[in-house]
Amino acid sequence: MPGEDSRQMYQPTIALVRKIVGQITPARCDVAIVYSMNRHAEICHIGSNPTLVFDRYVGQAVNTFMRILTWSEHPVRSTRAFARIFSEQAILAGDAAGAIAGMLMFEQTSHLWNLPHTADDPKVKLQVQLQEMFILAHEYCHLMMAASNEFRQSRLRIADMMLEPIAISLGEQHYAEFIARYPYEVESGLENFLSILSMQDKFIADNSAALRTEFSCDEFALHVTLLTCMQMGNDPKFAFEAAFLTLRNMRALAYIREAAKPGLFERDAVFGLGVKMLQARQHKLRGAYRWVALAYGLEKEFEDIIPDLMDLSDRHDDKIDNPLLFQILGTLVSTRNEIAVENPDLGLESAFEIAEAQGWAPRAPEVEYVLI
């Protein structure tokens, strides 16, 4: 449970956020650190005060994904971590069969989990820290937008720039860059490539009200993460990588959440609204990298990092997204359905027992937290 260790762990990060935004924040915004299975950062009310609630477990998810991304050599090495998250998300849905399916896979693959700790590599440790900073800064922006209409309007003007659809000429340029890197995809053709971009533009237009706020907070979080990185004396490229990886890692977490909902699993069904929103955010934030880099005189650094981001994207596909979508989640849901058929009377009490076996206390009467 959070306590003094949470305060010591997160107070320096939150103090840095407050220092960076000190000139523009309309009021002090409280931050509550909790530790639960939700793996969320969100805005809620504690009493009458809007408060940023940061679940330490979302930080642990980022930590786990970075260990997999850096050191996993085969999907089976990371299965244990994904199975536990699936089990926990099933518990939150009150689905004992899903919880048991995740627990079984967790136990069967535990002996294969031998990846180094992030503390063993300063660069990996920095990436985790910067990704947590991005998440905190994104939610902090939501908090400030709620507290100040002037600040909100200034942020939304930025978001409107990000909402602009991709021009056909730019789409053609993207296609040329895409084919240069992946020549085996040439058969898909420019027309199909532009059609995909057009579909994404339509999705963004149809969901512009919600995405407008998310885009504005992502762009703000990128500024804070970049300033943090530079103030720490690190290469600015780590900030751009962190912003990119944060949204990719949150998308992977969304895949597991969607698949852990009771019911039959179809891979395409995982691409629900939440996942599509994260995809749109990732795409549009990358489009904003250039002007953020220009604002800090980092255009050369931005140009240099483009190949690195493409490499990161491929690695994330190979080590996280593809194993989840094409192997692990299908197996987990299949096992879940078999258990549900064989044990139709499994109820929430069974899910609680699974949670307690994993070290959780879902029957706790209240959530413990520490305000910072």
Side-chain angles (χ1 to χ4, degrees):
M1 290 295 181
E4 191 56 33
D5 62 327
S6 292
R7 191 181 301 279
Q8 291 177 2
M9 183 178 298
Y10 287 100
Q11 195 160 35
T13 300
I14 294 165
L16 189 54
V17 173
R18 287 175 172 153
K19 179 180 179 181
I20 289 172
V21 303
Q23 301 301 314
I24 56 174
T25 182
R28 174 186 168 86
C29 300
D30 285 331
V31 179
I33 307 297
V34 302
Y35 193 43
S36 75
M37 287 190 293
N38 286 289
R39 299 179 186 259
H40 275 302
E42 56 191 342
I43 307 301
C44 70
H45 281 75
I46 296 180
S48 60
N49 298 320
T51 302
L52 192 171
V53 178
F54 182 82
D55 193 332
R56 280 182 57 177
Y57 215 20
V58 74
Q60 288 194 18
V62 168
N63 187 306
T64 298
F65 289 154
M66 283 307 301
R67 292 171 70 185
I68 293 169
L69 189 66
T70 306
W71 291 299
S72 178
E73 297 178 355
H74 191 278
V76 73
R77 296 289 183 190
S78 55
T79 299
R80 168 189 180 270
F82 297 137
R84 173 161 184 165
I85 297 173
F86 180 91
S87 182
E88 292 164 353
Q89 295 305 307
I91 290 165
L92 292 173
D95 179 31
I100 293 171
M103 193 62 162
L104 287 173
M105 183 178 284
F106 177 86
E107 292 177 344
Q108 291 165 357
T109 58
S110 285
H111 66 288
L112 300 170
W113 178 258
N114 60 354
L115 302 181
H117 295 283
T118 53
D120 295 344
D121 188 315
K123 290 183 179 179
V124 180
K125 182 179 179 181
L126 173 65
Q127 265 299 340
V128 173
Q129 184 177 356
L130 291 175
Q131 288 178 58
E132 286 192 277
M133 174 65 80
F134 184 93
I135 295 167
L136 280 164
H138 176 98
E139 296 302 327
Y140 211 89
C141 184
H142 278 295
L143 208 56
M144 293 193 297
M145 288 174 73
S148 167
N149 187 59
E150 182 180 0
F151 179 79
R152 176 179 176 81
Q153 293 307 315
S154 70
R155 283 282 89 211
L156 292 179
R157 285 194 289 272
I158 296 293
D160 288 340
M161 296 169 59
M162 298 171 71
L163 281 167
E164 288 293 322
I166 297 172
I168 293 296
S169 60
L170 190 57
E172 293 173 351
Q173 177 186 331
H174 286 171
Y175 177 71
E177 294 169 353
F178 180 76
I179 293 303
R181 186 175 180 87
Y182 309 108
Y184 50 84
E185 296 283 359
V186 70
E187 293 182 4
S188 63
L190 174 60
E191 184 176 344
N192 183 61
F193 187 84
L194 294 178
S195 174
I196 293 172
L197 293 181
S198 178
M199 289 172 59
Q200 185 174 59
D201 282 339
K202 183 179 185 307
F203 172 81
I204 291 171
D206 290 345
N207 296 274
S208 60
L211 285 170
R212 194 178 181 217
T213 304
E214 294 302 319
F215 288 165
S216 67
C217 291
D218 283 338
E219 200 263 358
F220 177 85
L222 176 59
H223 280 281
V224 173
T225 305
L226 181 58
L227 284 168
T228 300
C229 188
M230 293 192 295
Q231 288 183 10
M232 294 169 67
N234 292 301
D235 189 329
K237 77 171 187 177
F238 291 117
F240 291 105
E241 291 177 350
F244 174 79
L245 286 173
T246 300
L247 296 180
R248 285 296 297 260
N249 287 334
M250 292 304 97
R251 190 178 73 180
L253 193 55
Y255 290 150
I256 303 174
R257 282 198 178 103
E258 288 294 323
K261 294 176 181 178
L264 295 175
F265 173 76
E266 294 181 7
R267 188 173 63 85
D268 290 344
V270 173
F271 293 90
L273 179 62
V275 169
K276 290 179 180 177
M277 294 274 281
L278 282 162
Q279 289 176 326
R281 288 170 57 190
Q282 176 195 331
H283 179 77
K284 287 296 188 178
L285 183 61
R286 284 186 66 182
Y289 278 11
R290 183 180 296 278
W291 75 59
V292 173
L294 283 171
Y296 298 93
L298 299 172
E299 186 175 17
K300 175 62 166 59
E301 287 81 354
F302 167 74
E303 296 295 343
D304 290 344
I305 199 178
I306 293 175
D308 292 339
L309 291 178
M310 296 178 77
D311 289 342
L312 275 177
S313 180
D314 289 345
R315 283 172 53 204
H316 204 282
D317 284 342
D318 291 342
K319 297 192 175 187
I320 295 179
D321 288 0
N322 290 342
L324 271 173
L325 292 171
F326 296 101
Q327 300 174 47
I328 298 169
L329 293 179
T331 300
L332 281 166
V333 174
S334 177
T335 303
R336 180 258 168 212
N337 291 338
E338 291 174 6
I339 293 170
V341 170
E342 294 172 2
N343 303 272
D345 296 327
L346 284 175
L348 191 59
E349 187 66 23
S350 299
F352 283 170
E353 291 173 2
I354 296 296
E356 287 162 355
Q358 296 188 73
W360 297 102
R363 285 180 263 229
E366 58 186 35
V367 176
E368 294 186 22
Y369 63 90
V370 58
L371 281 175
I372 297 179

Coordinates of all heavy atoms in Angstrom, one line a residue, residues 116-165:
P116 N 16.4 -8.9 -16.9 CA 17.1 -8.0 -15.9 C 16.1 -6.9 -15.4 O 15.1 -6.7 -16.0 CB 18.2 -7.4 -16.7 CG 18.5 -8.3 -17.9 CD 17.1 -8.9 -18.2
H117 N 16.5 -6.3 -14.3 CA 15.7 -5.1 -13.8 C 16.1 -3.9 -14.5 O 17.2 -3.7 -15.0 CB 16.0 -5.0 -12.3 CG 15.5 -6.2 -11.5 ND1 14.2 -6.4 -11.2 CD2 16.2 -7.2 -10.9 CE1 14.0 -7.5 -10.5 NE2 15.2 -8.0 -10.3
T118 N 15.2 -2.9 -14.5 CA 15.5 -1.6 -15.2 C 16.6 -0.9 -14.5 O 17.3 -0.2 -15.2 CB 14.2 -0.8 -15.2 OG1 13.7 -0.6 -13.9 CG2 13.1 -1.3 -16.1
A119 N 16.8 -1.1 -13.2 CA 17.8 -0.4 -12.5 C 19.2 -0.9 -13.0 O 20.2 -0.2 -12.8 CB 17.7 -0.6 -11.0
D120 N 19.3 -2.0 -13.7 CA 20.5 -2.5 -14.2 C 21.1 -1.7 -15.4 O 22.2 -1.9 -15.8 CB 20.4 -4.0 -14.6 CG 20.1 -4.9 -13.4 OD1 20.3 -4.5 -12.3 OD2 19.6 -6.0 -13.6
D121 N 20.2 -0.9 -16.0 CA 20.6 -0.2 -17.2 C 20.1 1.3 -17.0 O 18.9 1.5 -17.0 CB 20.0 -0.8 -18.4 CG 20.6 -0.1 -19.7 OD1 20.7 1.1 -19.8 OD2 20.9 -0.9 -20.7
P122 N 21.1 2.3 -16.9 CA 20.6 3.7 -16.6 C 19.7 4.2 -17.7 O 18.8 5.0 -17.4 CB 22.0 4.4 -16.6 CG 23.0 3.4 -16.3 CD 22.5 2.1 -16.9
K123 N 19.9 3.8 -19.0 CA 19.1 4.3 -20.1 C 17.6 3.7 -20.0 O 16.7 4.5 -20.2 CB 19.7 3.9 -21.4 CG 21.0 4.7 -21.7 CD 21.5 4.4 -23.1 CE 22.7 5.2 -23.4 NZ 23.3 4.8 -24.8
V124 N 17.5 2.5 -19.6 CA 16.2 1.9 -19.4 C 15.5 2.5 -18.2 O 14.3 2.8 -18.3 CB 16.3 0.4 -19.3 CG1 14.9 -0.3 -19.1 CG2 17.0 -0.3 -20.5
K125 N 16.2 2.7 -17.2 CA 15.7 3.3 -16.0 C 15.2 4.7 -16.3 O 14.1 5.2 -15.9 CB 16.7 3.4 -14.9 CG 16.3 4.0 -13.6 CD 17.4 4.0 -12.5 CE 16.9 4.6 -11.2 NZ 18.0 4.7 -10.2
L126 N 16.0 5.5 -17.1 CA 15.6 6.8 -17.5 C 14.3 6.8 -18.3 O 13.4 7.6 -18.1 CB 16.7 7.5 -18.3 CG 16.4 8.8 -18.9 CD1 16.1 9.9 -17.9 CD2 17.5 9.3 -19.8
Q127 N 14.2 5.8 -19.2 CA 13.0 5.7 -20.1 C 11.7 5.5 -19.2 O 10.7 6.1 -19.5 CB 13.1 4.6 -21.1 CG 13.6 5.0 -22.4 CD 12.7 5.9 -23.1 OE1 11.5 6.0 -22.8 NE2 13.2 6.7 -24.1
V128 N 11.8 4.6 -18.2 CA 10.7 4.4 -17.3 C 10.3 5.7 -16.6 O 9.1 6.1 -16.5 CB 11.0 3.3 -16.3 CG1 9.9 3.2 -15.3 CG2 11.2 2.0 -17.0
Q129 N 11.3 6.4 -16.1 CA 11.1 7.7 -15.4 C 10.4 8.7 -16.3 O 9.5 9.4 -15.9 CB 12.4 8.2 -14.8 CG 12.2 9.5 -14.0 CD 13.6 10.0 -13.4 OE1 14.6 9.3 -13.6 NE2 13.5 11.1 -12.7
L130 N 10.9 8.8 -17.5 CA 10.3 9.8 -18.5 C 8.9 9.4 -18.9 O 8.1 10.3 -19.1 CB 11.2 10.0 -19.7 CG 12.6 10.6 -19.4 CD1 13.4 10.6 -20.7 CD2 12.4 12.1 -18.9
Q131 N 8.6 8.1 -19.0 CA 7.3 7.7 -19.4 C 6.3 8.0 -18.3 O 5.2 8.4 -18.5 CB 7.3 6.3 -19.8 CG 7.9 6.0 -21.2 CD 8.0 4.6 -21.5 OE1 6.9 3.9 -21.6 NE2 9.2 4.0 -21.8
E132 N 6.7 7.8 -17.0 CA 5.9 8.1 -15.9 C 5.6 9.6 -15.9 O 4.5 10.1 -15.6 CB 6.5 7.6 -14.6 CG 6.4 6.1 -14.4 CD 6.7 5.7 -13.0 OE1 7.9 5.6 -12.7 OE2 5.8 5.6 -12.2
M133 N 6.7 10.4 -16.2 CA 6.6 11.9 -16.2 C 5.5 12.3 -17.3 O 4.7 13.1 -17.1 CB 7.9 12.5 -16.5 CG 7.9 14.0 -16.8 SD 7.4 14.9 -15.3 CE 9.0 14.9 -14.4
F134 N 5.6 11.6 -18.5 CA 4.6 11.9 -19.5 C 3.2 11.7 -19.1 O 2.3 12.5 -19.3 CB 4.9 11.1 -20.8 CG 4.1 11.4 -22.0 CD1 4.5 12.4 -22.9 CD2 2.8 10.8 -22.1 CE1 3.7 12.7 -24.0 CE2 2.0 11.1 -23.2 CZ 2.4 12.1 -24.1
I135 N 3.0 10.5 -18.4 CA 1.6 10.2 -17.9 C 1.1 11.2 -16.9 O 0.0 11.7 -16.9 CB 1.6 8.8 -17.4 CG1 1.9 7.7 -18.5 CG2 0.3 8.5 -16.7 CD1 2.2 6.4 -17.9
L136 N 2.0 11.5 -15.9 CA 1.7 12.5 -14.9 C 1.4 13.9 -15.5 O 0.4 14.5 -15.2 CB 2.8 12.6 -13.9 CG 2.8 11.5 -12.8 CD1 4.2 11.5 -12.1 CD2 1.8 11.8 -11.8
A137 N 2.2 14.3 -16.4 CA 2.1 15.6 -17.1 C 0.8 15.7 -17.9 O 0.1 16.7 -17.9 CB 3.3 16.0 -17.9
H138 N 0.5 14.6 -18.6 CA -0.8 14.6 -19.4 C -2.0 14.8 -18.5 O -2.9 15.6 -18.8 CB -0.9 13.2 -20.1 CG -2.2 13.0 -20.8 ND1 -2.3 13.2 -22.2 CD2 -3.4 12.7 -20.4 CE1 -3.5 13.0 -22.6 NE2 -4.2 12.6 -21.5
E139 N -2.1 14.1 -17.3 CA -3.2 14.2 -16.4 C -3.2 15.6 -15.7 O -4.2 16.1 -15.5 CB -3.2 13.1 -15.4 CG -3.4 11.7 -16.0 CD -4.7 11.6 -16.8 OE1 -5.7 12.2 -16.5 OE2 -4.7 10.8 -17.8
Y140 N -2.0 16.1 -15.4 CA -1.9 17.4 -14.8 C -2.5 18.4 -15.7 O -3.1 19.4 -15.3 CB -0.4 17.7 -14.5 CG -0.2 18.5 -13.3 CD1 0.0 18.0 -12.0 CD2 -0.1 19.9 -13.4 CE1 0.2 18.7 -10.9 CE2 0.2 20.7 -12.3 CZ 0.3 20.1 -11.0 OH 0.5 20.9 -9.9
C141 N -2.3 18.3 -17.0 CA -2.8 19.2 -18.0 C -4.4 19.2 -17.9 O -5.0 20.2 -17.9 CB -2.3 18.9 -19.4 SG -2.8 20.1 -20.6
H142 N -4.9 18.0 -17.8 CA -6.4 17.9 -17.7 C -6.9 18.7 -16.5 O -7.9 19.4 -16.5 CB -6.8 16.4 -17.5 CG -6.9 15.6 -18.8 ND1 -7.8 15.9 -19.8 CD2 -6.2 14.6 -19.3 CE1 -7.7 15.1 -20.8 NE2 -6.7 14.2 -20.5
L143 N -6.1 18.5 -15.4 CA -6.5 19.2 -14.1 C -6.4 20.7 -14.3 O -7.4 21.4 -13.8 CB -5.5 18.7 -13.0 CG -6.0 18.7 -11.6 CD1 -7.2 17.8 -11.4 CD2 -4.8 18.2 -10.7
M144 N -5.4 21.2 -14.9 CA -5.3 22.6 -15.1 C -6.3 23.2 -16.0 O -6.8 24.3 -15.9 CB -3.9 23.0 -15.6 CG -2.8 22.7 -14.5 SD -1.2 23.5 -14.9 CE -0.8 22.6 -16.4
M145 N -6.7 22.4 -17.1 CA -7.7 22.8 -18.0 C -9.1 22.9 -17.3 O -9.9 23.8 -17.6 CB -7.8 21.8 -19.2 CG -6.6 21.9 -20.1 SD -6.6 20.7 -21.4 CE -8.0 21.2 -22.5
A146 N -9.3 22.1 -16.3 CA -10.5 22.1 -15.6 C -10.6 23.3 -14.6 O -11.6 23.9 -14.3 CB -10.7 20.8 -14.8
A147 N -9.4 23.8 -14.2 CA -9.3 24.9 -13.2 C -9.2 26.2 -13.9 O -9.5 27.2 -13.2 CB -8.1 24.7 -12.3
S148 N -8.9 26.3 -15.2 CA -8.7 27.6 -15.8 C -9.2 27.6 -17.2 O -8.6 26.9 -18.1 CB -7.2 28.1 -15.8 OG -7.0 29.1 -16.6
N149 N -10.2 28.4 -17.5 CA -10.8 28.4 -18.9 C -9.8 29.0 -19.8 O -9.7 28.6 -21.0 CB -12.1 29.2 -18.9 CG -12.7 29.1 -20.3 OD1 -13.0 28.0 -20.8 ND2 -12.9 30.3 -20.9
E150 N -9.0 30.0 -19.4 CA -8.0 30.7 -20.2 C -6.9 29.6 -20.6 O -6.5 29.6 -21.8 CB -7.3 31.8 -19.5 CG -6.3 32.6 -20.3 CD -5.7 33.7 -19.5 OE1 -6.0 33.9 -18.4 OE2 -4.8 34.4 -20.1
F151 N -6.5 28.9 -19.7 CA -5.5 27.8 -20.0 C -6.1 26.8 -20.9 O -5.4 26.3 -21.9 CB -5.0 27.2 -18.7 CG -4.0 26.1 -18.9 CD1 -2.7 26.3 -19.2 CD2 -4.4 24.7 -18.9 CE1 -1.7 25.3 -19.4 CE2 -3.5 23.7 -19.1 CZ -2.2 24.0 -19.4
R152 N -7.3 26.4 -20.7 CA -8.0 25.4 -21.5 C -8.1 25.9 -23.0 O -7.8 25.1 -23.9 CB -9.4 25.2 -21.0 CG -10.3 24.2 -21.8 CD -11.6 24.0 -21.2 NE -12.4 23.2 -22.1 CZ -12.4 21.8 -22.2 NH1 -11.5 21.2 -21.4 NH2 -13.1 21.2 -23.0
Q153 N -8.5 27.1 -23.2 CA -8.6 27.7 -24.5 C -7.2 27.7 -25.2 O -7.1 27.4 -26.4 CB -9.2 29.0 -24.5 CG -10.7 29.0 -24.1 CD -11.6 28.0 -24.8 OE1 -11.5 28.0 -26.1 NE2 -12.4 27.3 -24.1
S154 N -6.2 28.0 -24.5 CA -4.9 28.1 -25.1 C -4.4 26.7 -25.5 O -3.8 26.5 -26.6 CB -3.8 28.7 -24.2 OG -3.6 27.8 -23.1
R155 N -4.8 25.7 -24.7 CA -4.4 24.3 -25.1 C -5.2 23.8 -26.3 O -4.7 23.1 -27.1 CB -4.7 23.4 -23.9 CG -3.7 23.5 -22.7 CD -2.4 22.7 -23.1 NE -1.4 23.4 -23.7 CZ -0.6 23.0 -24.6 NH1 -0.6 21.7 -25.0 NH2 0.3 23.7 -25.2
L156 N -6.5 24.2 -26.3 CA -7.4 23.7 -27.4 C -7.0 24.3 -28.7 O -7.2 23.7 -29.8 CB -8.8 24.0 -27.1 CG -9.4 23.2 -25.9 CD1 -10.9 23.6 -25.7 CD2 -9.3 21.7 -26.1
R157 N -6.4 25.5 -28.7 CA -5.9 26.0 -30.0 C -4.7 25.2 -30.6 O -4.6 25.0 -31.8 CB -5.4 27.5 -29.8 CG -6.6 28.5 -29.6 CD -6.1 29.9 -29.8 NE -5.3 30.3 -28.6 CZ -5.9 30.8 -27.5 NH1 -7.2 31.0 -27.4 NH2 -5.1 31.2 -26.5
I158 N -3.9 24.6 -29.7 CA -2.9 23.7 -30.1 C -3.5 22.4 -30.6 O -3.1 21.9 -31.7 CB -1.9 23.3 -28.9 CG1 -1.2 24.6 -28.4 CG2 -1.0 22.2 -29.3 CD1 -0.2 25.1 -29.4
A159 N -4.5 21.9 -30.0 CA -5.2 20.7 -30.4 C -5.8 20.8 -31.8 O -5.8 19.9 -32.6 CB -6.3 20.3 -29.4
D160 N -6.3 22.0 -32.1 CA -7.0 22.2 -33.4 C -6.0 22.1 -34.5 O -6.3 21.6 -35.6 CB -7.6 23.6 -33.4 CG -8.9 23.7 -32.6 OD1 -9.5 22.6 -32.3 OD2 -9.3 24.8 -32.2
M161 N -4.7 22.5 -34.2 CA -3.7 22.3 -35.2 C -3.4 20.8 -35.5 O -3.2 20.3 -36.6 CB -2.4 22.9 -34.8 CG -2.4 24.4 -34.7 SD -1.0 25.2 -33.8 CE 0.3 24.6 -34.9
M162 N -3.5 20.0 -34.4 CA -3.3 18.6 -34.5 C -4.5 17.8 -35.1 O -4.3 16.7 -35.6 CB -3.0 18.0 -33.1 CG -1.7 18.6 -32.4 SD -1.5 18.1 -30.7 CE -1.1 16.4 -30.9
L163 N -5.6 18.4 -35.1 CA -6.8 17.8 -35.7 C -6.9 17.9 -37.2 O -7.7 17.2 -37.8 CB -8.1 18.5 -35.1 CG -8.5 18.0 -33.7 CD1 -9.6 18.9 -33.1 CD2 -9.0 16.6 -33.7
E164 N -6.0 18.8 -37.7 CA -6.0 18.9 -39.2 C -5.8 17.6 -39.9 O -4.9 16.8 -39.5 CB -4.9 19.9 -39.6 CG -5.3 21.4 -39.3 CD -6.5 21.9 -40.0 OE1 -6.6 21.6 -41.2 OE2 -7.3 22.6 -39.4
P165 N -6.6 17.3 -40.9 CA -6.3 16.0 -41.6 C -5.0 16.0 -42.4 O -4.5 17.1 -42.7 CB -7.5 15.9 -42.6 CG -8.0 17.3 -42.8 CD -7.7 18.0 -41.5

